[in-house]
Amino acid sequence: MSIGVFDSGVGGLTVFKSIADRFKTVDIYYVGDTARVPYGNKSRDTIVKYSLELTEFLVKSFAVDLVVVACNTASSYALDFLKNRYNIPIIGVVEPGCIAAINATKNGKIGVIGTQATINSNSYANTLSALTGGGVRVYQKGCPLLVPLVEEGKIEHPVTKIILKEYLDGIVSEGIDTLILGCTHYPVLKDVINSIYPELNLVDSSVAIIDYIHKLNLDLNEKGLRNLFVTDESVSFENLKKLIIGDIPTFKVNLDSIELK
Ligand code: DGL
């Protein structure tokens, strides 16, 4: 059995790493849509179309048994569509992140940060409310500058700290005790966020998703192959890949061959 993972680009490698570390013998196929990233400022229709194309690529080319939508933006807009379309399990990162946040919060005040599209979708706020019957207060903030900063490798940079404070001071002052990192790139910023706001519980969906995979009870014994594909060659993909998972080779898949006309 094998797991397919897709993302708009490199950030989903945080999810890939978490799965690869936990399920050492499973075969994992990852595709990052580096030709069309970012998804975080695109419309619902476009995000659903791209997500469908990447899922088709994983299912048709490798007959994966499970698809993990590592991208928060794609999880927010395309998960239900994909679940209805395929008869294999498709899991996204929103619900696992919400469950982990509900388990972590003591005062019921949860912050959510993500791309503007993820925040506009209200996916986290709606899921948190549905899971708790409205029992938690949710404070959301779109943080569009964080993805480019991470892609530029500006992780510990003073500019990143200033931008983080600009985005987070408002919701932190509302008294949140838990913050959902609702974007693939944000786990890379965990230490920096922690250094500014040491009192916050940070919820990383790439960790939360592992329980979900366990619950599926799949027979995950395989050769432990790690296969990475991108839709375009990208220097920032290669640089961040090395930071997140080390030097696994990347193969290019032609966008023409996955586009559904
Ligand atoms: N992967 C996206 C997410 O998790 C971030 C990058 C993008 O905007 O495509 O929302």
Side-chain angles (χ1 to χ4, degrees), residues 120-168:
N120 290 348
S121 78
N122 273 319
S123 59
Y124 278 99
N126 291 341
T127 306
L128 285 165
S129 168
L131 288 170
T132 59
V136 290
R137 306 265 295 271
V138 183
Y139 302 85
Q140 304 192 84
K141 184 75 185 163
C143 305
L145 291 173
L146 295 184
V147 165
L149 284 168
V150 171
E151 299 229 339
E152 284 298 317
K154 303 263 182 287
I155 314 291
E156 304 274 350
H157 198 280
V159 164
T160 306
K161 292 186 184 167
I162 292 168
I163 301 285
L164 276 168
K165 279 182 70 56
E166 174 73 22
Y167 283 142
L168 291 177

Short mmCIF file of all heavy atoms in Angstrom, two decimals, residues 120-168:
data_model
loop_
_atom_site.label_atom_id
_atom_site.label_comp_id
_atom_site.label_asym_id
_atom_site.label_seq_id
_atom_site.Cartn_x
_atom_site.Cartn_y
_atom_site.Cartn_z
N ASN A 120 -10.38 33.13 4.53
CA ASN A 120 -11.65 33.55 3.92
C ASN A 120 -12.65 32.39 3.86
O ASN A 120 -13.86 32.59 3.92
CB ASN A 120 -11.44 34.07 2.50
CG ASN A 120 -10.71 35.40 2.50
OD1 ASN A 120 -10.57 36.03 3.54
ND2 ASN A 120 -10.24 35.82 1.34
N SER A 121 -12.14 31.16 3.72
CA SER A 121 -13.04 30.00 3.61
C SER A 121 -13.73 29.69 4.94
O SER A 121 -14.72 28.98 4.98
CB SER A 121 -12.25 28.75 3.17
OG SER A 121 -11.53 28.21 4.28
N ASN A 122 -13.17 30.19 6.03
CA ASN A 122 -13.69 29.87 7.39
C ASN A 122 -13.64 28.38 7.70
O ASN A 122 -14.36 27.92 8.60
CB ASN A 122 -15.13 30.36 7.55
CG ASN A 122 -15.16 31.80 8.01
OD1 ASN A 122 -14.37 32.20 8.86
ND2 ASN A 122 -16.04 32.57 7.41
N SER A 123 -12.82 27.64 6.99
CA SER A 123 -12.81 26.18 7.19
C SER A 123 -12.46 25.82 8.63
O SER A 123 -13.11 24.97 9.25
CB SER A 123 -11.82 25.52 6.23
OG SER A 123 -10.52 26.04 6.44
N TYR A 124 -11.45 26.46 9.19
CA TYR A 124 -11.07 26.14 10.57
C TYR A 124 -12.14 26.59 11.55
O TYR A 124 -12.51 25.84 12.46
CB TYR A 124 -9.71 26.78 10.91
CG TYR A 124 -8.53 25.96 10.43
CD1 TYR A 124 -7.88 26.28 9.25
CD2 TYR A 124 -8.09 24.86 11.15
CE1 TYR A 124 -6.79 25.53 8.79
CE2 TYR A 124 -7.01 24.09 10.72
CZ TYR A 124 -6.37 24.44 9.54
OH TYR A 124 -5.30 23.68 9.10
N ALA A 125 -12.62 27.82 11.38
CA ALA A 125 -13.63 28.34 12.32
C ALA A 125 -14.88 27.45 12.29
O ALA A 125 -15.43 27.09 13.34
CB ALA A 125 -13.97 29.78 11.97
N ASN A 126 -15.33 27.07 11.08
CA ASN A 126 -16.53 26.25 10.97
C ASN A 126 -16.31 24.86 11.58
O ASN A 126 -17.19 24.32 12.25
CB ASN A 126 -16.95 26.09 9.50
CG ASN A 126 -17.46 27.40 8.92
OD1 ASN A 126 -17.82 28.30 9.68
ND2 ASN A 126 -17.48 27.52 7.61
N THR A 127 -15.14 24.28 11.33
CA THR A 127 -14.88 22.93 11.85
C THR A 127 -14.75 22.96 13.37
O THR A 127 -15.29 22.10 14.06
CB THR A 127 -13.60 22.34 11.19
OG1 THR A 127 -13.75 22.42 9.78
CG2 THR A 127 -13.37 20.90 11.60
N LEU A 128 -14.06 23.98 13.90
CA LEU A 128 -13.93 24.10 15.36
C LEU A 128 -15.31 24.26 15.99
O LEU A 128 -15.61 23.63 17.02
CB LEU A 128 -13.05 25.30 15.72
CG LEU A 128 -11.55 25.11 15.49
CD1 LEU A 128 -10.82 26.45 15.52
CD2 LEU A 128 -10.95 24.16 16.53
N SER A 129 -16.14 25.04 15.35
CA SER A 129 -17.47 25.27 15.91
C SER A 129 -18.31 23.99 15.83
O SER A 129 -18.99 23.62 16.79
CB SER A 129 -18.09 26.42 15.11
OG SER A 129 -19.42 26.52 15.39
N ALA A 130 -18.22 23.28 14.69
CA ALA A 130 -19.00 22.04 14.54
C ALA A 130 -18.55 20.98 15.54
O ALA A 130 -19.37 20.26 16.12
CB ALA A 130 -18.86 21.51 13.11
N LEU A 131 -17.25 20.89 15.77
CA LEU A 131 -16.73 19.84 16.66
C LEU A 131 -17.03 20.12 18.13
O LEU A 131 -17.03 19.21 18.95
CB LEU A 131 -15.20 19.70 16.48
CG LEU A 131 -14.72 19.07 15.17
CD1 LEU A 131 -13.21 19.22 15.04
CD2 LEU A 131 -15.10 17.59 15.10
N THR A 132 -17.24 21.40 18.47
CA THR A 132 -17.45 21.73 19.88
C THR A 132 -18.86 22.27 20.14
O THR A 132 -19.14 22.73 21.26
CB THR A 132 -16.44 22.82 20.34
OG1 THR A 132 -16.64 23.99 19.52
CG2 THR A 132 -15.02 22.35 20.24
N GLY A 133 -19.70 22.25 19.12
CA GLY A 133 -21.04 22.84 19.29
C GLY A 133 -20.93 24.32 19.66
O GLY A 133 -21.70 24.82 20.47
N GLY A 134 -19.98 25.00 19.04
CA GLY A 134 -19.81 26.44 19.31
C GLY A 134 -19.13 26.70 20.64
O GLY A 134 -19.14 27.84 21.14
N GLY A 135 -18.49 25.70 21.21
CA GLY A 135 -17.92 25.82 22.55
C GLY A 135 -16.57 26.49 22.64
O GLY A 135 -16.01 26.60 23.73
N VAL A 136 -16.01 26.92 21.51
CA VAL A 136 -14.72 27.64 21.59
C VAL A 136 -14.85 28.98 20.87
O VAL A 136 -15.70 29.14 19.99
CB VAL A 136 -13.56 26.83 20.94
CG1 VAL A 136 -13.19 25.62 21.77
CG2 VAL A 136 -13.87 26.43 19.50
N ARG A 137 -14.02 29.93 21.26
CA ARG A 137 -13.95 31.22 20.55
C ARG A 137 -12.77 31.13 19.60
O ARG A 137 -11.69 30.66 19.97
CB ARG A 137 -13.71 32.37 21.54
CG ARG A 137 -14.72 32.41 22.68
CD ARG A 137 -15.87 33.35 22.40
NE ARG A 137 -15.47 34.73 22.30
CZ ARG A 137 -15.41 35.58 23.35
NH1 ARG A 137 -15.68 35.14 24.55
NH2 ARG A 137 -15.09 36.84 23.18
N VAL A 138 -12.99 31.59 18.36
CA VAL A 138 -11.95 31.45 17.34
C VAL A 138 -11.53 32.84 16.83
O VAL A 138 -12.39 33.68 16.53
CB VAL A 138 -12.46 30.60 16.15
CG1 VAL A 138 -11.35 30.40 15.11
CG2 VAL A 138 -12.97 29.24 16.63
N TYR A 139 -10.22 33.06 16.77
CA TYR A 139 -9.67 34.34 16.32
C TYR A 139 -8.76 34.04 15.13
O TYR A 139 -7.76 33.33 15.26
CB TYR A 139 -8.87 35.00 17.45
CG TYR A 139 -9.72 35.22 18.67
CD1 TYR A 139 -9.88 34.20 19.61
CD2 TYR A 139 -10.40 36.41 18.86
CE1 TYR A 139 -10.70 34.37 20.73
CE2 TYR A 139 -11.21 36.60 19.98
CZ TYR A 139 -11.36 35.58 20.90
OH TYR A 139 -12.17 35.75 22.00
N GLN A 140 -9.13 34.57 13.96
CA GLN A 140 -8.41 34.19 12.74
C GLN A 140 -7.59 35.36 12.19
O GLN A 140 -8.00 36.51 12.32
CB GLN A 140 -9.40 33.79 11.66
CG GLN A 140 -10.35 32.67 12.05
CD GLN A 140 -11.06 32.16 10.82
OE1 GLN A 140 -10.54 31.32 10.10
NE2 GLN A 140 -12.27 32.66 10.59
N LYS A 141 -6.52 35.02 11.48
CA LYS A 141 -5.73 36.07 10.84
C LYS A 141 -5.05 35.51 9.59
O LYS A 141 -4.30 34.54 9.65
CB LYS A 141 -4.66 36.56 11.84
CG LYS A 141 -3.84 37.70 11.33
CD LYS A 141 -4.60 39.01 11.37
CE LYS A 141 -3.80 40.15 10.75
NZ LYS A 141 -4.63 41.31 10.40
N GLY A 142 -5.34 36.12 8.45
CA GLY A 142 -4.62 35.77 7.21
C GLY A 142 -3.21 36.36 7.27
O GLY A 142 -3.05 37.51 7.68
N CYS A 143 -2.22 35.59 6.89
CA CYS A 143 -0.82 36.04 7.00
C CYS A 143 -0.10 35.85 5.66
O CYS A 143 0.84 35.06 5.56
CB CYS A 143 -0.09 35.25 8.08
SG CYS A 143 -0.87 35.29 9.70
N PRO A 144 -0.52 36.60 4.63
CA PRO A 144 0.01 36.34 3.28
C PRO A 144 1.52 36.53 3.12
O PRO A 144 2.10 35.94 2.21
CB PRO A 144 -0.77 37.31 2.39
CG PRO A 144 -1.39 38.30 3.31
CD PRO A 144 -1.57 37.63 4.64
N LEU A 145 2.15 37.31 3.99
CA LEU A 145 3.59 37.54 3.79
C LEU A 145 4.46 36.39 4.31
O LEU A 145 5.65 36.31 3.99
CB LEU A 145 4.02 38.83 4.49
CG LEU A 145 3.50 40.13 3.86
CD1 LEU A 145 3.86 41.32 4.74
CD2 LEU A 145 4.09 40.32 2.46
N LEU A 146 3.88 35.49 5.10
CA LEU A 146 4.73 34.47 5.73
C LEU A 146 5.24 33.42 4.73
O LEU A 146 6.37 32.96 4.84
CB LEU A 146 4.00 33.79 6.89
CG LEU A 146 3.66 34.69 8.08
CD1 LEU A 146 3.02 33.87 9.20
CD2 LEU A 146 4.88 35.43 8.59
N VAL A 147 4.40 33.04 3.75
CA VAL A 147 4.86 32.03 2.79
C VAL A 147 6.07 32.53 2.00
O VAL A 147 7.11 31.85 1.95
CB VAL A 147 3.70 31.59 1.85
CG1 VAL A 147 4.24 30.82 0.64
CG2 VAL A 147 2.71 30.71 2.61
N PRO A 148 6.01 33.74 1.41
CA PRO A 148 7.21 34.21 0.70
C PRO A 148 8.43 34.33 1.60
O PRO A 148 9.55 34.03 1.17
CB PRO A 148 6.81 35.57 0.12
CG PRO A 148 5.39 35.79 0.43
CD PRO A 148 4.85 34.61 1.17
N LEU A 149 8.25 34.75 2.85
CA LEU A 149 9.42 34.86 3.75
C LEU A 149 10.06 33.50 3.98
O LEU A 149 11.28 33.36 3.94
CB LEU A 149 9.00 35.48 5.09
CG LEU A 149 8.76 37.00 5.07
CD1 LEU A 149 8.07 37.46 6.35
CD2 LEU A 149 10.07 37.76 4.88
N VAL A 150 9.22 32.47 4.21
CA VAL A 150 9.78 31.13 4.42
C VAL A 150 10.45 30.65 3.13
O VAL A 150 11.55 30.09 3.17
CB VAL A 150 8.68 30.14 4.87
CG1 VAL A 150 9.20 28.71 4.88
CG2 VAL A 150 8.18 30.52 6.27
N GLU A 151 9.81 30.89 1.98
CA GLU A 151 10.39 30.42 0.72
C GLU A 151 11.72 31.11 0.43
O GLU A 151 12.58 30.55 -0.23
CB GLU A 151 9.40 30.63 -0.44
CG GLU A 151 8.13 29.84 -0.21
CD GLU A 151 7.68 29.01 -1.39
OE1 GLU A 151 8.09 29.29 -2.52
OE2 GLU A 151 6.90 28.06 -1.15
N GLU A 152 11.86 32.33 0.94
CA GLU A 152 13.14 33.04 0.77
C GLU A 152 14.16 32.60 1.81
O GLU A 152 15.26 33.14 1.87
CB GLU A 152 12.92 34.56 0.91
CG GLU A 152 12.28 35.21 -0.30
CD GLU A 152 13.13 35.08 -1.53
OE1 GLU A 152 14.35 35.28 -1.44
OE2 GLU A 152 12.58 34.74 -2.60
N GLY A 153 13.78 31.69 2.68
CA GLY A 153 14.71 31.20 3.71
C GLY A 153 14.88 32.17 4.87
O GLY A 153 15.79 32.03 5.68
N LYS A 154 14.00 33.17 4.97
CA LYS A 154 14.12 34.17 6.05
C LYS A 154 13.40 33.65 7.30
O LYS A 154 12.37 34.16 7.71
CB LYS A 154 13.51 35.50 5.62
CG LYS A 154 14.10 36.06 4.34
CD LYS A 154 15.17 37.10 4.67
CE LYS A 154 15.78 37.74 3.46
NZ LYS A 154 16.68 36.88 2.69
N ILE A 155 13.97 32.62 7.91
CA ILE A 155 13.29 31.96 9.02
C ILE A 155 13.52 32.72 10.33
O ILE A 155 12.59 33.11 11.00
CB ILE A 155 13.77 30.49 9.17
CG1 ILE A 155 13.83 29.76 7.82
CG2 ILE A 155 12.94 29.73 10.21
CD1 ILE A 155 12.54 29.46 7.17
N GLU A 156 14.81 32.95 10.65
CA GLU A 156 15.16 33.63 11.91
C GLU A 156 15.37 35.13 11.68
O GLU A 156 15.85 35.83 12.57
CB GLU A 156 16.48 33.05 12.46
CG GLU A 156 16.48 31.56 12.69
CD GLU A 156 15.93 31.19 14.04
OE1 GLU A 156 15.72 32.10 14.87
OE2 GLU A 156 15.68 30.00 14.26
N HIS A 157 15.08 35.61 10.51
CA HIS A 157 15.40 37.00 10.13
C HIS A 157 14.57 38.00 10.94
O HIS A 157 13.39 37.76 11.20
CB HIS A 157 15.13 37.16 8.64
CG HIS A 157 15.78 38.34 8.03
ND1 HIS A 157 15.25 39.61 8.15
CD2 HIS A 157 16.91 38.47 7.29
CE1 HIS A 157 16.03 40.46 7.50
NE2 HIS A 157 17.05 39.79 6.98
N PRO A 158 15.17 39.14 11.32
CA PRO A 158 14.41 40.16 12.08
C PRO A 158 13.13 40.59 11.38
O PRO A 158 12.12 40.86 12.03
CB PRO A 158 15.39 41.34 12.19
CG PRO A 158 16.74 40.78 11.93
CD PRO A 158 16.60 39.51 11.14
N VAL A 159 13.15 40.64 10.05
CA VAL A 159 11.96 41.05 9.31
C VAL A 159 10.81 40.08 9.58
O VAL A 159 9.65 40.48 9.76
CB VAL A 159 12.28 41.11 7.78
CG1 VAL A 159 11.00 41.14 6.96
CG2 VAL A 159 13.13 42.32 7.47
N THR A 160 11.13 38.80 9.62
CA THR A 160 10.10 37.79 9.87
C THR A 160 9.50 37.97 11.26
O THR A 160 8.29 37.86 11.45
CB THR A 160 10.71 36.38 9.71
OG1 THR A 160 11.33 36.31 8.44
CG2 THR A 160 9.65 35.30 9.84
N LYS A 161 10.36 38.32 12.23
CA LYS A 161 9.85 38.54 13.60
C LYS A 161 8.92 39.75 13.63
O LYS A 161 7.88 39.73 14.29
CB LYS A 161 11.02 38.71 14.57
CG LYS A 161 11.81 37.42 14.72
CD LYS A 161 12.88 37.51 15.79
CE LYS A 161 13.67 36.21 15.79
NZ LYS A 161 14.90 36.24 16.54
N ILE A 162 9.31 40.80 12.92
CA ILE A 162 8.46 42.01 12.89
C ILE A 162 7.10 41.68 12.26
O ILE A 162 6.05 42.05 12.78
CB ILE A 162 9.17 43.15 12.10
CG1 ILE A 162 10.39 43.64 12.88
CG2 ILE A 162 8.20 44.30 11.82
CD1 ILE A 162 11.32 44.54 12.09
N ILE A 163 7.14 40.95 11.14
CA ILE A 163 5.88 40.61 10.43
C ILE A 163 5.03 39.70 11.32
O ILE A 163 3.80 39.85 11.40
CB ILE A 163 6.18 39.92 9.08
CG1 ILE A 163 7.03 40.82 8.18
CG2 ILE A 163 4.90 39.46 8.40
CD1 ILE A 163 6.31 41.95 7.54
N LEU A 164 5.68 38.73 11.98
CA LEU A 164 4.91 37.83 12.87
C LEU A 164 4.20 38.63 13.96
O LEU A 164 3.03 38.40 14.25
CB LEU A 164 5.84 36.79 13.51
CG LEU A 164 6.14 35.56 12.66
CD1 LEU A 164 7.30 34.76 13.27
CD2 LEU A 164 4.91 34.68 12.50
N LYS A 165 4.92 39.59 14.54
CA LYS A 165 4.30 40.39 15.60
C LYS A 165 3.14 41.22 15.05
O LYS A 165 2.10 41.34 15.66
CB LYS A 165 5.35 41.28 16.28
CG LYS A 165 6.17 40.52 17.32
CD LYS A 165 7.18 41.41 18.03
CE LYS A 165 6.58 42.43 18.97
NZ LYS A 165 5.71 41.90 20.02
N GLU A 166 3.36 41.74 13.86
CA GLU A 166 2.32 42.55 13.21
C GLU A 166 1.04 41.71 13.03
O GLU A 166 -0.07 42.15 13.29
CB GLU A 166 2.88 43.02 11.85
CG GLU A 166 1.92 43.75 10.96
CD GLU A 166 1.63 45.17 11.46
OE1 GLU A 166 2.45 45.70 12.22
OE2 GLU A 166 0.56 45.70 11.09
N TYR A 167 1.22 40.47 12.60
CA TYR A 167 0.06 39.60 12.37
C TYR A 167 -0.54 39.07 13.68
O TYR A 167 -1.75 38.91 13.80
CB TYR A 167 0.46 38.40 11.51
CG TYR A 167 0.63 38.67 10.03
CD1 TYR A 167 1.64 38.04 9.31
CD2 TYR A 167 -0.23 39.52 9.33
CE1 TYR A 167 1.80 38.25 7.95
CE2 TYR A 167 -0.07 39.74 7.97
CZ TYR A 167 0.94 39.10 7.29
OH TYR A 167 1.09 39.31 5.95
N LEU A 168 0.33 38.74 14.63
CA LEU A 168 -0.15 37.94 15.77
C LEU A 168 -0.49 38.73 17.02
O LEU A 168 -1.31 38.26 17.84
CB LEU A 168 0.89 36.86 16.12
CG LEU A 168 1.04 35.76 15.08
CD1 LEU A 168 2.15 34.79 15.48
CD2 LEU A 168 -0.26 35.00 14.91
#
